Amino acid sequence: MAPTGKKKSTSKTAAKRTTRTAPARSKATGSSRAKKSAVAKRGTRSAAVKARSAKKNSAPEIDAAPASERNIPALTRQMVAAAAAACEDKKAEDTRILELDASDAGLTDFFLITSGTNERQTQSIADEVELRLKHEFGTYPNSVEGKRQGEWVLLDYVDLVVHIFLAEKRAFYDIERLRKSARTVDLADLQKALKEKTAGTRMRLAAKSTRT
């Protein structure tokens, strides 16, 4: 009977040890799992940060052009030069060309401002500008205003707006003062652009004639 009692006590002791150590193991297992999940989260966060930095570094760098600099087509400048030449042919006075600031680019690219001594001359200048741009560029004004009165004639070519004033009306409205941010363009530079266009047209015509 003695040996049987020892075995029972041994089994009870083993059971107690098992019940005592089981919670400790579960706690250890839980803490290790928590550590692993924390490490995994850290790893995920660091991977996300690295991915974002990699995207930033790999993204192509775009050099934003300054707001004041715009790429205006050469054809537009040639039209402005032709309009200025038309004004000069009709003896217009104090012709000025303003290249508008980028903030006004939605309005137009150029203002051509000139003056006539009377209503008949302003109308004649407007007619010559229309005729010149029609023949040389095949373009017509989008709108014409004030031509009948002749005090302030406005020809809107979208990228170019021509203002033809009587001298007193020009002084009264003073468009140049209102557009202080605009840059005054040298007429000589525009005339050079017009000459280049004319020379190019002559060369093309000469090439066509030699082919035929």
Side-chain angles (χ1 to χ4, degrees):
M1 294 295 290
T4 309
K6 285 181 182 179
K7 284 182 181 178
K8 286 182 180 178
S9 61
T10 307
S11 61
K12 285 180 182 180
T13 306
K16 285 180 182 180
R17 286 176 184 172
T18 306
T19 54
R20 286 176 186 174
T21 55
R25 287 178 185 175
S26 63
K27 285 181 182 179
T29 306
S31 61
S32 64
R33 285 178 183 173
K35 286 179 182 178
K36 285 180 182 179
S37 61
V39 172
K41 285 181 182 178
R42 287 173 193 167
T44 306
R45 287 176 186 171
S46 61
V49 172
K50 286 179 181 179
R52 287 174 191 169
S53 61
K55 282 184 180 179
K56 287 181 181 179
N57 294 331
S58 62
E61 295 182 359
I62 300 172
D63 295 330
S68 59
E69 294 182 6
R70 291 177 292 128
N71 186 17
I72 299 175
L75 182 63
T76 302
R77 297 184 184 277
Q78 291 165 359
M79 285 177 59
V80 176
C87 294
E88 186 177 353
D89 289 347
K90 289 298 178 179
K91 309 300 180 186
E93 299 178 352
D94 193 16
T95 300
R96 293 189 65 191
I97 298 167
L98 303 180
E99 182 178 338
L100 271 62
D101 189 74
S103 59
D104 296 322
L107 178 64
T108 188
D109 289 328
F110 290 98
F111 272 175
L112 189 154
I113 306 169
T114 193
S115 302
T117 55
N118 54 58
E119 290 85 351
R120 182 170 291 180
Q121 187 185 12
T122 58
Q123 292 166 347
S124 178
I125 294 168
D127 288 339
E128 184 63 22
V129 171
E130 286 189 71
L131 188 64
R132 187 75 61 92
L133 296 185
K134 174 187 172 183
H135 283 174
E136 295 187 12
F137 300 93
T139 186
Y140 297 84
N142 191 49
S143 65
V144 179
E145 299 177 18
K147 194 172 182 179
R148 182 174 295 179
Q149 293 79 16
E151 296 180 346
W152 176 6
V153 185
L154 186 149
L155 307 175
D156 183 3
Y157 286 92
V158 182
D159 295 331
L160 162 67
V161 178
V162 180
H163 301 272
I164 307 167
F165 286 98
L166 289 178
E168 58 272 19
K169 292 294 181 182
R170 180 174 179 175
F172 178 79
Y173 290 105
D174 199 4
I175 291 180
E176 292 96 324
R177 182 180 61 82
L178 294 175
R179 301 293 174 185
K180 287 182 179 179
S181 61
R183 182 177 70 87
T184 302
V185 179
D186 189 3
L187 283 172
D189 293 339
L190 289 173
Q191 288 171 356
K192 182 181 178 182
L194 185 61
K195 287 178 181 178
E196 289 176 357
K197 175 187 177 293
T198 305
T201 304
R202 288 176 179 172
M203 287 177 66
R204 285 195 297 271
L205 292 174
K208 284 182 181 179
S209 63
T210 53
R211 287 175 185 174
T212 56

